[in-house]
């Protein structure tokens, strides 16, 4: 199976789909899931509602470096890669696909802005500026023509 970039908005279900694909896979697979790497580096757990604490923007470059290191190491060893992305910028997504390799594909998971917002809301019903910005990064620029992309709602 080819390397796969799972793209979609924050709160869209990318990490869940990645876990399902890992469970189905019988081949060695490296995961470059941004949120999971962030949580692992900070030793964070999801709360009972399934949400992580808000990210510290100062640490995001470290997490991105770690993700790129996972991808580079896996490619050198010929290991399949599953990566996630919540940035809708066509250039950024194309760059990640190129980084994954010429045989990579993109799976877009987008349940819709309303559902993603609901999943990201805090217990009091508010949406943090960080979550609002994350959704904006996706929905402002979300799609481009790409023969390697397939969709799932």
């Amino acid at each position: 199976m080819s390397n796969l970039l799972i793209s979609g908005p924050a709160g869209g279900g990318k990490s869940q789909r990645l876990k399902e694909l890992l469970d189905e896979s019988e081949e060695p697979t490296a995961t470059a899931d941004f949120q999971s790497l962030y949580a692992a580096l900070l030793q964070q757990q999801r709360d009972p509602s399934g949400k992580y604490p808000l990210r510290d923007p100062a640490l995001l470059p470290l997490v991105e470096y770690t993700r790129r290191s996972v991808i580079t190491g896996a490619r050198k060893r010929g290991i399949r890669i599953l990566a996630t992305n919540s940035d809708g910028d066509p250039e950024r997504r194309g760059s990640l696909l190129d980084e994954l390799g010429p045989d990579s594909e993109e799976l877009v998971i987008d349940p819709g802005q309303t559902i993603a917002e609901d999943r990201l809301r805090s217990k009091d019903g508010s949406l943090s500026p960080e979550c609002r910005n994350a959704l904006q990064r996706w929905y402002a620029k979300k799609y481009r023509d790409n023969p390697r992309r397939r969709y799932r709602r």
Side-chain angles (χ1 to χ4, degrees):
M1 183 178 261
S2 63
N3 295 331
L4 185 63
L5 177 64
I6 304 170
S7 294
K14 299 176 300 296
S15 296
Q16 181 61 40
R17 183 63 184 136
L18 184 143
K19 288 176 190 174
E20 292 167 359
L21 289 168
L22 277 174
D23 288 344
E24 296 167 5
S25 179
E26 294 183 10
E27 64 183 299
T29 304
T31 61
D33 178 30
F34 195 90
Q35 181 59 52
S36 295
L37 288 169
Y38 184 93
L41 289 169
L42 273 73
Q43 298 181 345
Q44 292 181 337
Q45 300 270 334
R46 291 180 188 260
D47 68 21
S49 71
K51 297 178 183 178
Y52 283 107
L54 291 177
R55 298 176 186 165
D56 179 349
L59 298 174
L60 299 182
L62 172 63
V63 179
E64 182 59 26
Y65 176 81
T66 303
R67 177 167 64 169
R68 288 182 179 272
S69 297
V70 167
I71 292 169
T72 300
R75 282 201 61 194
K76 284 181 181 177
R77 289 162 184 81
I79 298 171
R80 178 179 178 226
I81 306 163
L82 299 177
T84 60
N85 164 61
S86 61
D87 189 332
D89 180 48
E91 258 184 56
R92 173 79 176 119
R93 290 166 62 198
S95 173
L96 280 167
L97 277 169
D98 291 342
E99 196 173 330
L100 290 173
D103 63 336
S104 63
E105 293 181 314
E106 181 181 30
L107 171 62
V108 176
I109 299 176
D110 186 351
Q113 189 166 355
T114 302
I115 291 171
E117 283 179 6
D118 288 345
R119 290 177 179 170
L120 295 172
R121 291 189 188 284
S122 64
K123 291 177 184 173
D124 69 3
S126 66
L127 192 62
S128 72
E130 292 87 353
C131 290
R132 191 172 306 285
N133 288 340
L135 289 169
Q136 179 64 23
R137 279 193 309 273
W138 176 259
Y139 286 106
K141 307 174 184 177
K142 73 177 182 179
Y143 298 121
R144 68 181 170 102
D145 291 332
N146 180 347
R148 296 187 287 184
R149 180 177 56 216
R150 54 183 206 256
Y151 295 91
R152 176 182 175 159
R153 280 203 169 252

